């Protein structure tokens, strides 16, 4: 494989709150090749958004990156100044936020915002900026885009605002896009349109993506690689289809089994017992152990990542294997 | 089987939001452009006793508005809703406790300052289903029923997770001992694994209590799982209705077909290249719905008659109907590009 565009090693981001240290991201590592789309799934609160924020250097106090390395096109980001980071943000790496309201300024028209986003990194004429903005808005499915440039965000529906946010993230054809639940608020038909567009973009321009989502079907149709997070860690990673068909980590297996598509209509769904542990007081050893049907005494210590045939998992008693892999 | 909930020709129009200037102009007899939204338009539908009717359709098509009209929370502009023959609304207010609702947002639907036990007890006390003296035990029973620790009645909403709050909302609805339960996106804000818990609870309770229910969701896999029959809505109208297996297995209306086609499926084969099917064209504005068949600007099977003649719901057979001039011709037609 050629050099990855993005290489994350041992990333830990903690929040130092009055109640204690929230270990939101705890030793996350992954690589992303040019044009590769990686799905990032996991329970609510497992650290997906904080991981994304960390990649862009957007974590605010009381949080900070406490450990690890993030290399974007070979350049270490964790030691860069804010000014250096700003130069890259939106240009080399951009993010589509879970909440599109956070991206858009209510006081400016869509056209003004897109012009500002272009101006931040390039010098182009007003006419050129307008035609680029119009083209991108059309591509994300906003009809009569040229006229819509004069509209303010409140004149758009939630789904349209989300599409504007996507268009802004695409403006500079960045090397990496972190997309945080970008299509959750959209109707299925518009979602399909955006997914098709994003996949074409990855193919044609080599933009790599971290695609954060709850929706395993969306991820399975888009991402070639999948990472599953639980309580701040990646607990399993591998080729998407293989991982979904044949999961190793008991949390992944539980997640897949709980999908309505996996049960007969009307029959009870499989469910994972219990709920997510508090990040303030994680159980000793494997954080999934209180809910895990495979747990043994060994699980009170921390499992390392087991690497095997292009995939990896963090578990002593992986699903679908008769005996644990030798260490 | 006979109808238990009967919805007859229900229409709900939301009046235009007028600016102050327009209001004054209107008062003075000026000609103010009307921008009213026909959120629900001439819906006739029945729900049988003990069944779950799924309601699907794009955002803004009127699902919640119809749900609220059935629940007696929102008066229809015209038309009626009855439960077992009795109207759910009288004089513009809710006339029965026989229908209860569970909403999407478990955070917004509970009073943050009130102990959850009190929130759940209020309705049943007011309607004489329990006494103030007995309320605690009554509520604790319902907590137990929905899988919550009865001791938690003393807690406040912020002490619960999203899934637990949704259980409380379900307990509150069921403590009114309704015959009909309207669920409006009850699992949309929940995590996949918590979603499964709530869906299981719903399946168990509707069966054990013989509830009749209307389940609104934009998640088709959830609808497919919980419903007996499904109604597909487009721009305020029902366009297809039938048993869930048939509608999902062999959709008749071109919109249903397109809607189902655009839902991503779980891909388990690495070599399979998914084609993302999209519905051509933009969702039309309910402010100015198209003439004839609402769907004609986006429909691959549209002909000239579709631009002028509105198709009505016609039976395909005894228990299945569709509103489309050309559904037969369109049924077998291959997916177009
Ligand atoms: N500013 C903050 N201060 C304290 N804790 C925080 C802060 N921001 C996030 N966290 C905590 O970090 C953890 C991870 O949050 P994150 O938003 O990354 O979860 P997520 O996986 O994106 O969840 P979701 O699927 O709900 O979006 C959570 O427990 C959250 O409460
Ligand atoms: N109180 C209101 N005042 C004015 N218009 C309204 C009101 N409530 C709903 N509408 C309009 O009625 C139409 C139908 O809305 P409704 O909420 O019933 O849709 P929905 O199918 O539930 O959508 P979603 O899937 O997004 O929840 C929309 O165009 C909406 O803007
Ligand atoms: S390490 Fe043990 S507790 Fe953790 S997931 Fe594996 S078997 Fe379960
Ligand atoms: S009536 Fe005509 S436009 Fe409407 S769905 Fe049928 S074929 Fe399409
Ligand atoms: Mg998040
Ligand atoms: Mg709604």
């Amino acid at each position: 494989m050629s050099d990855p565009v993005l290489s994350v090693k041992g990333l830990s981001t903690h929040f130092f709150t009055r109640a204690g240290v929230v270990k939101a991201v705890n030793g996350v590592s992954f690589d992303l090749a040019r044009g590769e789309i990686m799905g990032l799934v996991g329970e609510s609160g497992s650290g997906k958004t904080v991981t994304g924020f960390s990649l862009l250097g957007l974590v605010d106090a009381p949080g900070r990156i406490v450990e690890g390395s993030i290399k974007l096109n070979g350049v270490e980001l964790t030691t860069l100044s804010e000014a250096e980071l700003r130069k890259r943000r939106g240009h080399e790496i951009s993010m589509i936020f879970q909440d599109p309201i956070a991206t858009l300024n209510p006081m400016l028209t869509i056209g003004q915002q897109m012009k500002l986003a272009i101006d931040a990194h390039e010098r182009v004429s007003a006419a050129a900026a307008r035609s680029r903005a119009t083209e991108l808005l059309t591509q994300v499915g906003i009809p009569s885009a040229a006229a819509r440039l004069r509209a303010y965000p409140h004149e758009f529906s939630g789904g349209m605002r989300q599409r504007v946010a996507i268009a802004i993230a695409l403006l500079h054809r960045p090397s990496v896009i972190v997309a945080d639940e970008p299509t959750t608020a959209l109707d299925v038909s518009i979602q399909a349109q955006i997914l098709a567009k994003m996949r074409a973009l990855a193919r044609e321009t080599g933009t790599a993506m971290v695609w954060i989502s709850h929706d395993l079907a969306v991820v399975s149709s888009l991402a070639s690689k999948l990472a599953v997070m639980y309580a701040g860690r990646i607990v399993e990673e591998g080729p998407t289809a293989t991982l979904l068909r044949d999961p190793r980590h008991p949390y992944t297996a539980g997640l897949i089994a709980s999908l309505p598509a996996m049960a007969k209509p009307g029959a009870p769904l499989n469910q994972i017992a219990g709920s997510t542990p508090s990040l303030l007081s994680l159980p000793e050893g494997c954080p999934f152990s209180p809910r895990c049907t495979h747990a043994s005494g060994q699980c009170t210590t921390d499992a390392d990542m087991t690497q095997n045939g292009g995939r990896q998992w963090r578990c002593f008693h992986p699903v679908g294997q008769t005996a644990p892999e030798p260490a | 089987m006979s109808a238990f909930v009967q919805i007859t020709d229900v229409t709900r129009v939301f009046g235009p939001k007028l600016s102050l200037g327009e209001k004054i102009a209107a008062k003075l007899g000026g000609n103010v452009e009307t921008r009213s939204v026909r959120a629900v338009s001439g819906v006739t539908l029945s729900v049988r006793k003990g069944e779950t009717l799924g309601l699907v359709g794009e955002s803004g098509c009127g699902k919640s508005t119809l749900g609220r009209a059935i629940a007696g929370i929102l008066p229809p502009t015209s038309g009626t809703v009855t439960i077992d023959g009795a109207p759910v609304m009288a004089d513009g207010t809710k006339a029965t406790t026989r229908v209860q609702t569970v909403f999407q947002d478990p955070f917004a639907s509970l009073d943050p300052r009130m102990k959850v036990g009190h929130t759940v007890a209020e309705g049943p006390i007011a309607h004489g289903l329990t006494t103030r003296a007995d309320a605690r035990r009554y509520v604790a029973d319902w907590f137990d029923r929905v899988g919550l620790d009865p001791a938690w009645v003393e807690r406040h909403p912020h002490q619960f997770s999203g899934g637990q709050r949704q259980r409380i909302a379900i307990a509150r609805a069921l403590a009114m001992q309704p015959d009909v339960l309207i669920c409006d996106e009850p699992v949309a804000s929940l995590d996949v694994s918590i979603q499964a818990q709530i869906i299981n609870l719903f399946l168990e309770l509707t069966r054990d209590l013989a509830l009749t229910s209307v389940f609104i969701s934009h998640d088709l896999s959830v609808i497919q799982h919980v419903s007996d029959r499904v109604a597909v809505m487009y721009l305020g109208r029902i366009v297809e209705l039938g048993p869930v297996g048939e509608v999902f297995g062999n959709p008749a209306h071109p919109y249903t077909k397109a809607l189902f086609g655009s839902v991503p499926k779980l891909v388990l084969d690495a070599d399979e290249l998914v084609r993302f099917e999209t519905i051509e064209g933009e969702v039309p504005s309910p402010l100015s719905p198209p003439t004839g068949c609402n769907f004609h600007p986006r429909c691959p099977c549209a002909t000239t008659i579709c631009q002028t003649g509105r198709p009505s719901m016609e039976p395909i057979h005894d228990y299945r109907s569709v509103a489309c001039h050309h559904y037969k011709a369109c049924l077998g037609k291959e997916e177009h590009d």
Side-chain angles (χ1 to χ4, degrees):
Chain A
M1 192 169 92
S2 60
D3 280 349
V5 278
L6 181 70
S7 179
V8 180
K9 295 243 177 319
L11 177 70
S12 291
T13 303
H14 296 174
F15 290 90
F16 298 86
T17 69
R18 251 187 292 163
V21 180
V22 179
K23 296 180 178 171
V25 177
N26 210 2
V28 160
S29 304
F30 63 88
D31 283 347
L32 213 53
R34 218 180 104 77
E36 184 171 45
I37 303 180
M38 178 180 93
L40 186 59
V41 301
E43 265 189 348
S44 187
S46 60
K48 304 181 294 294
T49 297
V50 174
T51 300
F53 273 48
S54 304
L55 298 179
L56 277 94
L58 288 174
V59 179
D60 285 329
R64 75 187 148 80
I65 296 176
V66 293
E67 219 183 328
S69 140
I70 303 166
K71 280 206 168 103
L72 176 64
N73 293 318
V75 176
E76 178 61 50
L77 297 186
T78 53
T79 52
L80 290 185
S81 67
E82 174 56 28
E84 286 286 333
L85 271 176
R86 206 173 308 127
K87 249 192 258 165
R88 287 175 170 77
R89 220 181 279 144
H91 189 50
E92 268 186 77
I93 181 166
S94 64
M95 181 153 179
I96 302 164
F97 296 95
Q98 200 162 0
D99 173 13
I101 315 288
T103 319
L104 300 175
N105 182 336
M107 308 302 287
L108 299 177
T109 65
I110 301 299
Q112 286 168 331
Q113 310 202 33
M114 295 190 77
K115 173 87 166 66
L116 282 179
I118 295 172
D119 288 348
H121 302 289
E122 274 175 67
R123 213 156 276 208
V124 298
S125 71
R130 216 173 311 125
S131 79
R132 182 131 132 226
T134 309
E135 188 198 325
L136 275 165
L137 289 178
T138 308
Q139 284 182 13
V140 296
I142 305 247
S144 22
R148 288 294 193 12
L149 288 177
R150 286 192 296 274
Y152 288 88
H154 75 265
E155 296 175 64
F156 278 21
S157 73
M160 279 164 78
R161 270 180 253 168
Q162 184 63 295
R163 283 181 272 168
V164 173
I166 293 172
I168 289 178
L170 301 180
L171 273 176
H172 296 283
R173 301 201 178 285
S175 317
V176 176
I177 293 178
V178 180
D180 194 358
E181 305 271 8
T183 61
T184 314
L186 303 179
D187 271 320
V188 285
S189 66
I190 294 158
Q191 168 173 281
Q193 195 181 336
I194 301 273
L195 295 178
K197 162 83 192 135
M198 297 302 260
R199 189 172 64 188
L201 187 89
R203 290 241 174 84
E204 286 155 20
T205 68
T207 297
M209 297 181 203
V210 178
W211 195 275
I212 301 172
S213 179
H214 275 125
D215 191 330
L216 289 177
V218 165
V219 166
S220 74
S221 52
L222 195 66
S224 54
K225 179 157 96 181
L226 185 60
V228 183
M229 277 189 89
Y230 190 82
R233 312 183 118 166
I234 291 183
V235 295
E236 173 154 22
E237 193 220 283
T240 308
T242 316
L243 198 154
L244 291 176
R245 214 172 40 233
D246 188 21
R248 288 286 174 268
H249 196 279
Y251 171 69
T252 319
L255 189 66
I256 297 165
S258 68
L259 295 175
M262 293 293 160
K264 252 181 48 210
L269 303 173
N270 288 303
Q271 54 185 61
I272 305 175
S275 55
T276 322
S278 158
L279 293 179
L280 284 169
S281 53
L282 287 174
E284 188 89 355
C286 174
F288 190 56
S289 56
R291 308 172 70 186
C292 183
T293 49
H294 290 227
S296 73
Q298 199 177 5
C299 305
T300 52
T301 58
D302 231 351
D304 287 328
M305 269 289 190
T306 304
Q307 317 254 353
N308 192 303
R311 48 192 298 200
Q312 46 183 332
W313 55 83
R314 194 187 283 281
C315 176
F316 290 116
H317 310 295
V319 182
Q321 296 227 309
T322 42
E325 291 295 308
Chain B
M1 236 209 277
S2 67
F4 187 61
V5 180
Q6 183 60 51
I7 301 144
T8 311
D9 204 17
V10 164
T11 294
R12 172 68 209 208
V13 179
F14 289 107
K17 282 216 178 71
L18 297 181
S19 69
L20 185 62
E22 285 170 327
K23 274 184 197 152
I24 294 168
K27 280 246 166 66
L28 297 176
N31 200 359
V32 177
E33 186 199 359
T34 51
R35 278 164 297 156
S36 49
V37 176
R38 224 166 230 277
V40 173
S41 199
V43 168
T44 295
L45 197 62
S46 60
V47 192
R48 300 164 190 154
K49 189 153 179 52
E51 87 167 339
T52 296
L53 179 79
L55 197 53
V56 299
E58 278 163 304
S59 179
C61 71
K63 304 182 293 296
S64 295
T65 305
L66 181 58
R68 285 151 52 111
I70 301 171
I73 304 169
L74 185 81
T77 308
S78 62
T80 56
V81 179
T82 58
I83 291 176
D84 211 4
V88 297
M89 288 204 110
D91 305 328
T93 54
K94 190 166 169 167
T96 177
T97 58
R98 295 178 75 179
V99 48
Q100 295 292 324
T101 316
V102 176
F103 294 102
Q104 166 171 356
D105 193 348
F107 294 75
S109 67
L110 297 171
D111 183 341
R113 289 154 311 184
M114 221 194 257
K115 284 180 185 166
V116 293
H118 282 263
T119 302
V120 174
E122 269 184 334
I125 293 173
H127 289 91
L129 296 168
T130 183
T131 59
R132 211 162 274 286
D134 220 20
R136 202 197 144 93
R137 201 183 46 79
Y138 183 80
V139 171
D141 279 349
W142 280 107
F143 264 50
D144 191 38
R145 193 88 208 227
V146 301
L148 292 166
D149 186 335
W152 292 346
V153 294
E154 297 290 339
R155 294 193 179 179
H156 288 87
H158 73 265
Q159 292 171 285
F160 294 93
S161 70
Q164 288 169 338
R165 280 180 235 211
Q166 203 55 292
R167 285 178 196 266
I168 296 167
I170 292 171
R172 179 175 55 176
L174 294 183
M176 293 297 290
Q177 304 183 14
D179 297 312
V180 181
L181 189 65
I182 313 287
C183 293
D184 191 354
E185 305 271 9
V187 296
S189 60
L190 303 176
D191 233 9
V192 182
S193 64
I194 309 299
Q195 246 183 42
Q197 296 174 5
I198 297 297
I199 290 170
N200 284 347
L201 179 67
F202 173 84
L203 291 170
E204 182 192 313
L205 291 170
T206 46
R207 191 191 54 224
D208 293 354
L209 303 172
L211 285 171
T212 304
S213 64
V214 176
F215 198 104
I216 300 172
S217 176
H218 67 270
D219 187 332
L220 293 168
S221 67
V222 171
I223 287 290
Q224 188 173 18
H225 194 77
V226 302
S227 313
D228 299 303
R229 284 190 309 150
V230 60
V232 183
M233 262 185 111
Y234 187 75
L235 230 74
R237 297 174 182 277
I238 305 290
V239 297
E240 179 161 9
L241 175 70
V244 70
E246 279 191 43
V247 174
F248 275 80
N250 191 14
H253 196 280
Y255 171 67
T256 314
K257 236 201 294 194
L259 180 72
F260 290 3
S262 55
V263 178
K265 301 184 182 50
L266 199 63
V267 183
L268 299 175
D269 177 358
D271 296 328
E272 182 180 339
L273 180 61
V274 184
R275 280 191 56 214
F276 294 108
E277 306 281 351
T278 67
I279 306 178
E280 293 300 318
E282 183 78 355
V283 185
S285 160
L287 286 170
S288 52
T291 54
C293 172
N294 277 338
F295 190 53
H296 86 255
R298 306 167 79 188
C299 182
C301 302
T303 62
T304 44
I305 166 180
C306 306
Q307 294 167 20
T308 50
R310 165 165 306 136
S312 51
M313 284 290 270
E314 302 291 345
I316 299 177
H317 53 65
D318 282 356
Y319 43 89
R320 196 164 171 208
S321 45
V322 60
C324 170
H325 296 302
H326 304 304
Y327 79 90
K328 275 198 194 110
C330 212
L331 250 184
K333 199 171 156 179
E334 272 309 293
E335 295 288 319
H336 78 117
D337 264 323

